[in-house]
Amino acid sequence: EKDKELIRGSWESLGKNKVPHGVVMFSRLFELEPALLNLFHYNTNCSPTQDCLSSPEFLDHVTKVMLVIDAAVSHLDDLHTLEDFLLNLGKKHQAVGVNTQSFSVVGESLLYMLQCSLGHGYTGPLRQAWLNMYTIVVAAMSRGWAK
Ligand code: HEM
């Protein structure tokens, strides 16, 4: 319950500005794992990562990611209702060439974004609460790789 309060409380302000926060998250992701950039086929010829990140397709994906996080936050009491959706989302990511190991780097980038935007509000328990939720989301997506 404490976890849920921490997540909801921090998402209240972040969730109102999804795209800029998502851009911080993905800038970090591509800094940590530049090869992931190549999986976005709609952007083969933008050399500085920054150019990619401001393209409409990227912003679209960033928005999609933030909406999935938003859905998870709204369903903290019944995350299992998202299981089928997340399994299918996992399948789509397998199809575009993502591998499940990359999700830990995505998680790090999510925490980085939270740290940047929350400042002193980014505490140990808050970090752990987000990590717990993220782990559930990723576990559900990862089932899309099985079989
Ligand atoms: C779709 C890449 C992580 C949510 C896609 C597509 C690509 C992609 C190439 C298809 C093109 C598009 O729709 O823009 C990646 C990469 C990731 C990543 C490289 C990092 C390893 C995530 C995460 C989430 C997410 C963490 C949400 C938790 C979505 C959604 C779609 C999508 C909702 C649309 C699926 C649909 O068409 O039904 N992703 N993605 N992605 N991604 Fe990601």
Side-chain angles (χ1 to χ4, degrees), residues 15-145:
K16 291 192 184 102
N17 265 306
K18 292 187 185 63
V19 175
H21 289 112
V23 168
V24 171
M25 178 175 156
F26 272 76
S27 307
R28 182 65 178 162
L29 179 66
F30 295 137
E31 204 174 283
L32 294 172
E33 204 170 326
L36 288 177
L37 214 44
N38 302 324
L39 300 179
F40 292 89
H41 293 296
Y42 37 71
N43 259 291
T44 42
N45 49 8
C46 52
S47 44
T49 306
Q50 229 31 58
D51 287 359
C52 287
L53 286 165
S54 52
S55 75
E57 297 94 336
F58 262 104
L59 295 178
D60 263 6
H61 182 262
V62 163
T63 305
K64 291 177 203 171
V65 174
M66 295 305 269
L67 287 172
V68 175
I69 298 174
D70 193 64
V73 174
S74 321
H75 287 272
L76 279 173
D77 289 323
D78 52 1
L79 273 178
H80 61 94
T81 60
L82 298 179
E83 254 171 46
D84 288 348
F85 168 78
L86 292 172
L87 177 116
N88 281 305
L89 189 57
K91 284 184 183 158
K92 284 175 188 163
H93 284 83
Q94 179 186 38
V96 296
V98 174
N99 61 57
T100 53
Q101 289 100 292
S102 296
F103 287 136
S104 60
V105 194
V106 176
E108 264 181 67
S109 310
L110 170 67
L111 294 176
Y112 173 83
M113 178 273 281
L114 292 170
Q115 181 171 19
C116 287
S117 38
L118 299 171
H120 290 302
Y122 183 79
T123 60
L126 178 124
R127 177 185 182 280
Q128 195 56 54
W130 274 94
L131 206 50
N132 293 344
M133 184 187 86
Y134 180 73
T135 303
I136 295 172
V137 169
V138 164
M141 283 178 76
S142 299
R143 282 184 209 117
W145 271 257

